């Protein structure tokens, strides 16, 4: 864990463009984030979260114009809601 001084330095440097996101997630989600980071050559789990948001937004935008993408998004959404307890903390 970073020292209080290092955290303050980071917050002072990034206060206008970034916010720290601390979340509790099951261990499996951490393994998935590590896998995403490795697979897509990202800088770590934090960037994997950002990438997942980017992909979700891109798929949502694509679904507005593509029936297959819309079906996939609906399927993913239904599957997540069905199995939510497996993924959520």
């Amino acid at each position: 864990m970073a020292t209080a001084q290092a955290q303050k330095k980071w917050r002072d440097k990034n206060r206008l463009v970034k916010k720290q996101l601390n979340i509790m997630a099951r261990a499996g989600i951490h393994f998935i984030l590590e896998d995403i980071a490795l697979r897509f050559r990202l800088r770590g789990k934090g960037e994997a979260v950002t990438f997942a948001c980017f992909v979700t937004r891109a798929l949502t935008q694509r679904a507005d114009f593509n029936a297959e993408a819309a079906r996939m998004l609906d399927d993913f959404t239904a599957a997540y809601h069905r199995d939510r307890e497996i993924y959520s903390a």
Side-chain angles (χ1 to χ4, degrees):
M1 182 125 143
T3 65
Q5 184 179 12
Q7 289 177 2
K8 181 179 180 342
K9 183 178 177 183
W10 184 91
R11 285 188 189 103
D12 289 345
K13 177 183 173 189
N14 295 294
R15 69 183 170 83
L16 297 176
V17 293
K18 293 185 178 182
K19 290 171 105 175
Q20 190 170 1
L21 177 64
N22 293 321
I23 61 165
M24 292 295 294
R26 293 182 186 267
I29 298 301
H30 287 273
F31 294 131
I32 291 168
L33 289 171
E34 289 171 359
D35 181 56
I36 291 169
L38 288 171
R39 183 177 303 231
F40 295 100
R41 294 178 286 126
L42 305 172
R43 291 185 220 138
K45 292 188 291 183
E47 194 172 15
V49 170
T50 303
F51 181 71
C53 292
F54 170 81
V55 170
T56 302
R57 177 174 279 181
L59 182 57
T60 301
Q61 290 173 347
R62 179 71 54 97
D64 290 339
F65 304 100
N66 182 297
E68 180 64 16
R71 187 191 60 75
M72 288 174 56
L73 186 58
D74 288 343
D75 290 347
F76 297 151
T77 302
Y80 177 80
H81 285 287
R82 181 187 62 237
D83 301 330
R84 176 180 258 160
E85 296 306 314
I86 295 172
Y87 302 108
S88 62

